[in-house]
Amino acid sequence: MVMSFRVSELQVLLGFAGRNKSGRKHELLVKALQLLKSGCSPAVQMKIKELYRRRFPRKILTPSDLSMLHIQAGQVPSATTLTQGTVCHLPYDHGSASAAVPALLPPVPVLGPKHEADVQHLSPPVHPVHPDVKMKRLPFYDVYDELIKPTTLASTNSQRFEEAHFTFALTPQQVQQILTSRDILPGAKCDYTVQVQLRFCLCETSCPQEDYFPPNLFVKVNGKLCPLPGYLPPTKNGAEPKRPSRPVNITPLARLSATVPNTIVVNWSSEFGRNYSLSVYLVKQLTSVTLLQKLRAKGIRNPDHSRALIKEKLTADPDSEIATTSLRVSLMCPLGKMRLIVPCRAVTCSHLQCFDAALYLQMNEKKPTWTCPVCDKKAPYDALIIDGLFMEILNSCTDCDEIQFMEDGSWCPMKPKKEKQEVCQASAFGGIEASSLYTVSTEGRSSSEGKKKVEVIDLTLDSSSDEEEPPAKKQCPVSSMALP
């Protein structure tokens, strides 16, 4: 089975098994076969069978089956099918012919052990409708309810563009929650702080998934086209344009009624070996101010943590020829170039330099990247800490922008050198530059005097010595300025 796989299937298999999936086809094949030889788990064996069956479906549709499909392809699924909240692929699933559906479904692999002798057309649907996909928690949203569980957008491999239908209904309490949240932000861009949120991700169960949009995606909510985040500029030439990872607020298009259900129609391009998942939630949008309050409520990290980190950084390395005896750190925020107020960094960061929590949260409220401004590594909200040592330093040291840490964890302020620099510059100008001007000018003067003595008769004559005279003429004003 593995030997018959193409590059895409090999990559899916290796990714599923947690192995490196980069390289040429023969390299991928070697890795996949090594995986088999090392005794792979039942889950990996099932994945191999699933990919193989998807690659070589054994059921061939009869002409009568095909004619039935053509007849029913134009029909829209009935309301009863929609209210189940399942995926309805128009060419296959129809409420009016629900009895005939199992016979019409093309064979697709089943997730789970399956006997070869089973009758293919009685196989269950391709993918579990509700796989155990978990969406990554978004710091700026509190989830109140799950309106549609993560549901597979399965590719049928029968056509380039796929279509799936979903439906969800709001309870009277949920409608009330949304409607009463409107007054909180009067005149703001976001009308409701309690929102209906649509999310897409890869159908992957190994870890919580980030938002990820299927290619060529179109979404209609209650018959109206839903605006999606704009494409990001391509990172390299020829790369497929990608939308930013973020949820979609569909509250403006939703029917805020407990009696009328909401429908979602999704169109996307199918990709071999890659499936997507759709989910809908009722969420409350939070602000950066709320997140800052929550961060403060977590408490301030003990200063001893940072002292230990300083000692670790300044401990002499026996292999190194250069010994670091002190460490300079700025009290200015790298984001706003202003003095820190709430010094903060991620637990995962190895540097001591902090950034201001309020500015960092405001920046991520506008564009959620959650990247540390100091080291460019991921600094998610849950990993942020307020540094107790920096809080102490900021409170006790109000007149300097930089401090120096010593080997024992102690610190001292680096006083601003502005005053000293000004004095130095003035004296330097007076002592060095003025004297040099003076010497230059005196030389210039003596030379010019010398020239004047020699050429005193020629002044009234035609200026034959123009080439020699300009330097003397240029130096004269300087001497007159410098001598007084």
Side-chain angles (χ1 to χ4, degrees), residues 186-202:
K189 189 178 171 187
C190 168
D191 279 343
Y192 300 101
T193 52
V194 176
Q195 302 168 1
V196 180
Q197 188 182 79
L198 172 65
R199 295 183 75 180
F200 292 91
C201 71
L202 287 170

Side-chain angles (χ1 to χ4, degrees), residues 26-130:
H26 69 272
E27 292 168 352
L28 296 174
L29 198 54
V30 168
K31 287 177 195 169
L33 293 171
Q34 280 173 350
L35 183 69
L36 281 178
K37 284 174 189 169
S38 63
C40 54
S41 64
V44 173
Q45 290 177 22
M46 277 156 53
K47 191 73 176 175
I48 292 169
K49 287 180 183 173
E50 175 200 333
L51 290 166
Y52 183 77
R53 290 218 185 86
R54 209 185 295 173
R55 176 96 169 82
F56 302 107
R58 287 173 300 163
K59 161 82 168 151
I60 297 166
L61 294 177
T62 61
S64 60
D65 286 343
L66 288 170
S67 62
M68 280 192 77
L69 284 179
H70 286 302
I71 293 163
Q72 294 176 349
Q75 294 180 10
V76 178
S78 68
T80 53
T81 318
L82 286 176
T83 48
Q84 293 164 8
T86 57
V87 184
C88 304
H89 295 289
L90 279 180
Y92 300 117
D93 297 354
H94 300 283
S96 56
S98 56
V101 166
L104 294 177
L105 275 172
V108 212
V110 184
L111 288 174
K114 184 168 181 337
H115 299 291
E116 296 296 325
D118 282 357
V119 182
Q120 192 73 31
H121 69 266
L122 293 177
S123 65
V126 185
H127 299 277
V129 174
H130 299 301

